Amino acid sequence: MNYHLPRIALVSCLSIFSIGLFAQTAPRTGDAKLTEYWDPQVRIITPGKTASDAPSDAIVLFDGKDASKWKSQKDGGEVRWKIEDGALVVARGTGGIQTREGFGDCQLHIEWRTPAKVEGESQGRGNSGIFLMGKYELQVLDNYNNRTYSNGQAASIYKQTPPLVNASRKPGEWQTYDILFTAPQFYADGSLKSPARITVFHNGVLVQNNTTIWGATQYIGTPNYEPHGALEPLALQDHGNPVAFRNIWIRPL
Amino acid sequence: MNYHLPRIALVSCLSIFSIGLFAQTAPRTGDAKLTEYWDPQVRIITPGKTASDAPSDAIVLFDGKDASKWKSQKDGGEVRWKIEDGALVVARGTGGIQTREGFGDCQLHIEWRTPAKVEGESQGRGNSGIFLMGKYELQVLDNYNNRTYSNGQAASIYKQTPPLVNASRKPGEWQTYDILFTAPQFYADGSLKSPARITVFHNGVLVQNNTTIWGATQYIGTPNYEPHGALEPLALQDHGNPVAFRNIWIRPL
Amino acid sequence: MNYHLPRIALVSCLSIFSIGLFAQTAPRTGDAKLTEYWDPQVRIITPGKTASDAPSDAIVLFDGKDASKWKSQKDGGEVRWKIEDGALVVARGTGGIQTREGFGDCQLHIEWRTPAKVEGESQGRGNSGIFLMGKYELQVLDNYNNRTYSNGQAASIYKQTPPLVNASRKPGEWQTYDILFTAPQFYADGSLKSPARITVFHNGVLVQNNTTIWGATQYIGTPNYEPHGALEPLALQDHGNPVAFRNIWIRPL
Amino acid sequence: MNYHLPRIALVSCLSIFSIGLFAQTAPRTGDAKLTEYWDPQVRIITPGKTASDAPSDAIVLFDGKDASKWKSQKDGGEVRWKIEDGALVVARGTGGIQTREGFGDCQLHIEWRTPAKVEGESQGRGNSGIFLMGKYELQVLDNYNNRTYSNGQAASIYKQTPPLVNASRKPGEWQTYDILFTAPQFYADGSLKSPARITVFHNGVLVQNNTTIWGATQYIGTPNYEPHGALEPLALQDHGNPVAFRNIWIRPL
């Protein structure tokens, strides 16, 4: 293959459609092909109809009808949450639910809605949680006109890191989380090799920017890392409020 | 303020709505308030109607009508690209455009469309580019059924890092980039302190995951960092094809 | 300048001194100069006589004799710790000391010694601490045959992250910390932009590997970030034990 | 175990040995034990006599006498480099050498010396290289009073990233590299999951600060990542100059 195009052609191309970046410096000359490579090829996928819809390589965890990818955390049996109007709704006291399959590094899309009728305050209002690997909680809360502690807000890493901003919608409206999660890694002796990290967009707004997670979420005392598998189930919390979830899809990375 | 709630209350709360995380270990006891903090408070913003719409704290760079936040890279004057059907369309040969204001770390949303009528191949088809800080190019290209070099694909960091997947839509359809950009930092002597990093979602699909940028984009030869300001204009490339852009908003971070 | 050396020369060079990396693939041809750059030039410094000695661009904070770069944290006056045998020794009850100058990102070398005569146990034995920016504590402790809580060990980020290994020397022996510290960054509204990070070698052994710091060290309750300046004094703790320090130098990064 | 010490004791402890950090804020009260944890325990190792000496958990790759952990890259047989005065010296034209064992993430200590008699200039003087995983080159060069291209200097990631400073010793003197290396990770389809990163101290001075590596070192054209195993041999280059190496030890991380 002849990599050596006539130099005059390259120069003329640059001069016609210049973007003005090279104004102060002489244009570089040489073989532009030396910084191109064709392999490995990039895998082709089909994106969803909108950025919120599942692309072709995602695993759809809940499509509005079928909860069979989940089980109860109480007894490992069928999910006892309600399916209403295409949403999976917490049934108070039935316990959390978790996926039957495990996941590690992933891109996760999930939509949630707190009750339109406002009851309670602070942590008592529209409270649920998304537990990555069953251990690391991204808080779900009705945080619209509802002050609570900063590291317990909606989109906080619960009891660790507040969101950058509070981008909450009103109660009764659907909200989205778009999540990038990097799983922690452990040495053979069980000590921590690298902590988990998370990036979150809340209703399209950046709220966690490659945040390091300190350890498994703890309600009391300090978080800590205890070794676990590379793939662990995703869990949703029953905190006693009828929070709804829909359009849940995940892309293992 | 009394931080010391009766411990029995906490324990009963946990036992009713347990998510099953503590099954193997004894529940922790103690004052849960010690890991809560209320200050600083988290700033409240209003998200856009959808995740693609500008939130209340974004700077809208192009709303479909008004290109006054941009100028021509050729002569610093008015933008000579066309405004058609709410889109800003490259007018071949008029040169790139750049924002009048400078930006550093940011969240950027931008939508783009390559011509429905397919002409050319590889880099010759629907080519444009988004230059963060005027220097670091995220490639725009009609990459639907159009093989090119991997590190020159749509959503590649041009001549550096290919996207994780090819999530291209068909020519003539609107596509989205949601971008997190961290600016490079330089020491006083001009040497590099920390390189730029970028995360990109293409049509909602992760394609760059906190990727380190090697230096200013170069068509020929190796990239390199030369020191520049903390805020630099965002630029869009005139590569000779009538690529359209719309709904451009940015949140400085 | 002629960048185009005869290609035959390059090929023969590679073939004579090949390191066997290119065995499976055809050797690349082309202009090797396109991936070389000469500017900016790299600043020249003189390293110390050994890797523990201060290089020419370091600020020597304690050279064995002169404590004038430090002041008392109790009253801002002269340091009341003792200078003995070239070491700066904690004088119980005189309070911590801190540098008069502030520092942010830095490489820090510091040597320390706990008393040869073992008294107390756990946190009570040879306890002191190095507070980066006066806020983020790297623990100093006689941890030789002395069990304590893991996140309070020598070389832990106190009450946060244990060291990867316990590389302690015996009490009475000099030990070294070589530290890379990246300061936290804050937004204008006081919220956290990026957390502090730290890499530590204890007696030459990696013990913290680019560890994210959760916030200012807290003895009770959760750490938290409160905004502070880009440069803050380095502090050494008076925890009541006569711990000695020597050969302290810092390179702002 | 009783975690609940009398609170009065803790408060008095803080008041006697206060380090002055809490001057502006009221002291926190509560149970300090809630942020301590004892498990998992931290593994105990014995550091070397100095920070340059191998700790007890290191693999000694060359102790001054025995080169049996290495083999020739030319034919896989015995190393044909010379062992002289406790050093392993490049024998021109015998080819590079590599370890028989593979390594991934690691802490690596290595000492090297370029010839006292200065011959050649730029890349022709005292040139060798350390190839992490056999692919990612940390440059070895006599760079004392010897200008070369910045991204080809001693302690550069060759043809990628210059060192932060030039901390070279004179030719004929022993120099040290202390290296932290994080291996790249690949997806099942061979595409890059996370790039390699490297931190280097040259003669005790930070020269690479968690630098991202762009791909396998290339003499001509752009670097690129091709998938490889999690463990790959460490290699030393025969670039035709009699560079000497000694005291080589590695700690897999």
Side-chain angles (χ1 to χ4, degrees):
Chain A
M1 185 187 296
N2 180 9
Y3 279 131
H4 299 272
L5 298 183
R7 204 159 294 147
I8 186 75
L10 298 172
V11 170
S12 74
C13 165
L14 279 169
S15 60
I16 292 172
F17 307 119
S18 163
I19 61 159
L21 294 175
F22 307 110
Q24 283 82 12
T25 52
R28 294 188 180 194
T29 54
D31 184 358
K33 295 252 179 295
L34 286 172
T35 47
E36 302 168 3
Y37 61 86
W38 292 67
D39 293 295
Q41 287 189 40
V42 175
R43 187 163 52 90
I44 295 172
I45 64 150
T46 306
K49 241 159 82 166
T50 76
S52 280
D53 294 320
S56 60
D57 64 345
I59 297 166
V60 176
L61 293 175
F62 181 67
D63 64 355
K65 286 167 278 184
D66 175 11
S68 66
K69 293 225 168 71
W70 301 80
K71 64 180 181 186
S72 169
Q73 288 194 311
K74 218 164 202 170
D75 55 15
E78 298 284 298
V79 166
R80 275 167 292 171
W81 292 13
K82 284 165 280 181
I83 299 181
E84 292 174 346
D85 297 330
L88 195 50
V89 186
V90 174
R92 180 188 170 105
T94 62
I97 65 173
Q98 66 180 42
T99 55
R100 295 182 187 274
E101 197 179 341
F103 301 99
D105 297 2
C106 63
Q107 175 183 357
L108 172 65
H109 176 88
I110 188 165
E111 303 180 13
W112 53 276
R113 186 189 61 196
T114 60
K117 186 178 170 201
V118 170
E119 293 181 305
E121 58 173 348
S122 189
Q123 296 288 312
R125 182 187 298 174
N127 190 328
S128 183
I130 296 160
F131 283 74
L132 281 308
M133 306 193 91
K135 290 164 178 60
Y136 310 105
E137 184 184 11
L138 174 64
Q139 176 71 314
V140 168
L141 192 74
D142 173 1
N143 224 147
Y144 190 84
N145 285 335
N146 179 31
R147 183 88 201 283
T148 190
Y149 40 94
S150 301
N151 63 344
Q153 297 215 164
S156 67
I157 307 309
Y158 185 65
K159 293 253 175 154
Q160 298 184 18
T161 305
L164 293 169
V165 292
N166 181 344
S168 294
R169 294 195 193 284
K170 292 180 187 164
E173 297 185 5
W174 281 102
Q175 311 201 42
T176 60
Y177 280 159
D178 285 286
I179 300 165
L180 286 185
F181 179 75
T182 304
Q185 295 180 17
F186 298 93
Y187 290 115
D189 72 355
S191 64
L192 181 68
K193 183 171 180 178
S194 58
R197 289 179 294 110
I198 193 165
T199 292
V200 182
F201 297 80
H202 183 192
N203 299 322
V205 179
L206 180 72
V207 285
Q208 298 286 348
N209 189 359
N210 202 27
T211 300
T212 296
I213 296 178
W214 306 354
T217 299
Q218 295 290 356
Y219 179 60
I220 296 171
T222 207
N224 182 16
Y225 274 104
E226 302 203 355
H228 55 71
L231 303 177
E232 298 280 347
L234 173 72
L236 302 177
Q237 190 183 34
D238 169 12
H239 202 283
N241 302 131
V243 174
F245 294 92
R246 73 172 187 193
N247 192 18
I248 311 174
W249 52 264
I250 194 166
R251 296 178 64 240
L253 295 176
Chain B
M1 186 186 297
N2 180 10
Y3 279 129
H4 299 274
L5 299 182
R7 206 159 291 150
I8 185 76
L10 298 172
V11 170
S12 74
C13 166
L14 280 168
S15 60
I16 292 173
F17 306 120
S18 163
I19 61 159
L21 294 176
F22 306 111
Q24 283 83 14
T25 51
R28 293 188 180 194
T29 56
D31 183 358
K33 296 254 179 292
L34 286 172
T35 47
E36 302 169 2
Y37 61 85
W38 292 68
D39 294 295
Q41 288 188 39
V42 175
R43 187 162 52 90
I44 296 173
I45 64 151
T46 305
K49 240 157 82 166
T50 76
S52 281
D53 294 320
S56 59
D57 65 344
I59 296 166
V60 176
L61 293 175
F62 181 67
D63 64 356
K65 285 167 278 183
D66 175 11
S68 66
K69 292 224 169 72
W70 301 79
K71 64 179 181 185
S72 169
Q73 288 194 311
K74 219 165 199 168
D75 56 15
E78 298 284 298
V79 166
R80 275 168 290 173
W81 291 14
K82 283 165 279 182
I83 300 182
E84 292 175 345
D85 297 331
L88 194 49
V89 185
V90 174
R92 179 189 172 105
T94 62
I97 65 173
Q98 67 181 40
T99 55
R100 296 182 187 273
E101 197 178 343
F103 301 99
D105 296 4
C106 63
Q107 175 183 359
L108 172 65
H109 176 87
I110 188 164
E111 303 181 13
W112 53 275
R113 185 189 60 197
T114 61
K117 185 178 172 201
V118 170
E119 293 181 306
E121 57 174 348
S122 189
Q123 295 288 312
R125 182 187 298 175
N127 190 328
S128 183
I130 296 162
F131 283 75
L132 281 309
M133 306 193 90
K135 291 165 178 58
Y136 310 105
E137 185 183 11
L138 174 64
Q139 175 71 314
V140 169
L141 191 74
D142 172 2
N143 224 147
Y144 190 86
N145 286 334
N146 180 30
R147 183 86 201 284
T148 189
Y149 41 95
S150 300
N151 62 345
Q153 295 214 165
S156 67
I157 307 308
Y158 185 64
K159 292 253 174 154
Q160 297 184 20
T161 305
L164 294 169
V165 292
N166 181 345
S168 294
R169 295 194 192 284
K170 292 180 188 165
E173 297 185 6
W174 283 102
Q175 311 201 42
T176 61
Y177 280 159
D178 286 286
I179 301 165
L180 286 185
F181 179 74
T182 305
Q185 296 180 18
F186 298 93
Y187 290 115
D189 72 353
S191 63
L192 181 68
K193 183 170 180 179
S194 59
R197 289 179 293 111
I198 193 165
T199 293
V200 182
F201 297 81
H202 183 193
N203 299 322
V205 178
L206 181 72
V207 285
Q208 298 285 348
N209 188 359
N210 201 27
T211 300
T212 295
I213 296 178
W214 306 353
T217 299
Q218 296 289 356
Y219 179 61
I220 296 170
T222 205
N224 182 16
Y225 274 104
E226 302 204 355
H228 56 69
L231 304 177
E232 298 280 347
L234 173 72
L236 302 178
Q237 190 183 36
D238 168 12
H239 203 283
N241 302 132
V243 174
F245 294 91
R246 73 173 187 193
N247 192 18
I248 312 175
W249 51 264
I250 194 166
R251 295 178 64 241
L253 295 176
Chain C
M1 187 187 295
N2 179 9
Y3 278 129
H4 299 272
L5 299 182
R7 204 159 295 146
I8 186 74
L10 298 173
V11 171
S12 73
C13 166
L14 281 169
S15 61
I16 293 172
F17 306 121
S18 163
I19 61 159
L21 295 176
F22 307 111
Q24 282 83 10
T25 52
R28 292 188 181 193
T29 55
D31 184 358
K33 295 256 180 292
L34 286 172
T35 47
E36 302 169 3
Y37 62 85
W38 293 67
D39 293 295
Q41 288 188 39
V42 175
R43 187 164 51 93
I44 296 173
I45 64 150
T46 306
K49 242 160 81 166
T50 76
S52 281
D53 295 320
S56 60
D57 65 345
I59 297 167
V60 176
L61 292 175
F62 182 65
D63 65 355
K65 286 167 279 185
D66 175 11
S68 66
K69 292 224 169 71
W70 301 79
K71 64 179 182 184
S72 170
Q73 287 193 310
K74 218 164 201 169
D75 55 16
E78 297 284 298
V79 166
R80 274 167 292 170
W81 291 12
K82 284 165 279 181
I83 299 181
E84 291 174 348
D85 298 330
L88 194 50
V89 185
V90 174
R92 179 189 170 104
T94 62
I97 65 174
Q98 67 181 41
T99 55
R100 296 182 186 274
E101 197 177 343
F103 301 99
D105 295 3
C106 63
Q107 176 183 358
L108 172 65
H109 176 88
I110 188 165
E111 303 181 11
W112 53 276
R113 186 189 59 199
T114 60
K117 187 176 170 203
V118 170
E119 292 181 307
E121 57 175 347
S122 188
Q123 295 287 313
R125 182 186 298 174
N127 190 328
S128 184
I130 296 161
F131 283 74
L132 281 308
M133 305 193 90
K135 289 163 179 60
Y136 310 105
E137 184 183 12
L138 175 64
Q139 174 72 312
V140 168
L141 191 75
D142 173 2
N143 223 148
Y144 190 85
N145 285 335
N146 179 32
R147 184 85 201 284
T148 190
Y149 42 94
S150 300
N151 63 345
Q153 295 215 166
S156 67
I157 308 307
Y158 185 64
K159 291 254 175 153
Q160 298 184 19
T161 306
L164 294 168
V165 292
N166 181 344
S168 294
R169 295 195 192 284
K170 292 179 187 165
E173 296 185 5
W174 283 101
Q175 310 202 42
T176 61
Y177 280 158
D178 286 285
I179 300 165
L180 287 184
F181 178 75
T182 304
Q185 295 180 18
F186 299 93
Y187 290 114
D189 72 354
S191 64
L192 181 68
K193 182 169 180 179
S194 59
R197 289 178 293 112
I198 193 165
T199 292
V200 182
F201 297 82
H202 184 193
N203 299 320
V205 179
L206 181 71
V207 285
Q208 299 286 348
N209 189 359
N210 202 29
T211 301
T212 295
I213 295 178
W214 305 353
T217 300
Q218 296 291 355
Y219 180 59
I220 296 172
T222 206
N224 181 16
Y225 275 104
E226 302 203 355
H228 55 69
L231 304 177
E232 297 281 346
L234 175 72
L236 302 178
Q237 189 183 35
D238 169 11
H239 203 283
N241 303 133
V243 174
F245 294 91
R246 73 173 186 192
N247 192 20
I248 311 174
W249 51 265
I250 195 166
R251 296 179 62 241
L253 294 176
Chain D
M1 186 186 295
N2 180 8
Y3 277 129
H4 298 273
L5 297 182
R7 208 161 289 151
I8 185 74
L10 298 173
V11 170
S12 73
C13 166
L14 280 169
S15 60
I16 293 173
F17 306 121
S18 163
I19 61 160
L21 294 176
F22 307 110
Q24 283 84 10
T25 52
R28 292 187 181 194
T29 55
D31 184 358
K33 296 257 179 290
L34 286 173
T35 47
E36 303 169 2
Y37 62 85
W38 293 68
D39 293 296
Q41 288 189 40
V42 175
R43 188 163 52 91
I44 296 172
I45 64 150
T46 306
K49 242 160 80 167
T50 76
S52 280
D53 295 319
S56 59
D57 63 345
I59 297 166
V60 176
L61 292 175
F62 182 66
D63 65 355
K65 286 167 279 186
D66 175 12
S68 66
K69 292 225 168 70
W70 301 80
K71 64 180 181 184
S72 170
Q73 287 195 311
K74 219 164 200 168
D75 55 15
E78 298 284 296
V79 166
R80 274 165 293 172
W81 291 13
K82 284 164 277 181
I83 299 181
E84 291 174 347
D85 298 329
L88 194 50
V89 186
V90 174
R92 180 188 170 104
T94 62
I97 65 173
Q98 68 181 40
T99 55
R100 295 182 186 274
E101 197 178 343
F103 301 99
D105 296 2
C106 64
Q107 175 183 359
L108 172 65
H109 176 88
I110 188 164
E111 303 180 13
W112 53 275
R113 186 188 60 197
T114 60
K117 186 176 172 203
V118 170
E119 292 182 309
E121 57 174 348
S122 188
Q123 296 288 312
R125 183 186 298 174
N127 190 328
S128 183
I130 296 161
F131 283 74
L132 281 307
M133 306 194 91
K135 290 164 180 58
Y136 310 104
E137 184 183 11
L138 174 64
Q139 175 71 311
V140 168
L141 192 74
D142 173 1
N143 224 147
Y144 190 86
N145 286 334
N146 180 31
R147 183 86 201 283
T148 190
Y149 40 96
S150 300
N151 63 346
Q153 294 215 167
S156 66
I157 307 309
Y158 185 65
K159 291 252 174 154
Q160 297 183 20
T161 305
L164 293 169
V165 292
N166 180 344
S168 293
R169 295 195 191 284
K170 292 179 187 165
E173 296 185 5
W174 282 101
Q175 312 201 43
T176 60
Y177 280 158
D178 286 286
I179 300 164
L180 286 186
F181 179 75
T182 305
Q185 296 180 19
F186 298 93
Y187 290 114
D189 71 355
S191 63
L192 181 67
K193 183 170 180 181
S194 58
R197 289 179 293 112
I198 192 165
T199 292
V200 182
F201 297 81
H202 183 193
N203 299 320
V205 179
L206 181 72
V207 286
Q208 298 286 348
N209 188 0
N210 202 28
T211 300
T212 296
I213 295 178
W214 305 353
T217 300
Q218 294 290 356
Y219 180 60
I220 295 171
T222 206
N224 182 15
Y225 274 104
E226 303 204 354
H228 55 70
L231 304 177
E232 298 280 347
L234 174 73
L236 302 177
Q237 188 183 36
D238 169 12
H239 203 283
N241 303 133
V243 174
F245 295 91
R246 73 173 185 193
N247 191 20
I248 311 174
W249 52 265
I250 195 166
R251 297 178 64 240
L253 294 176

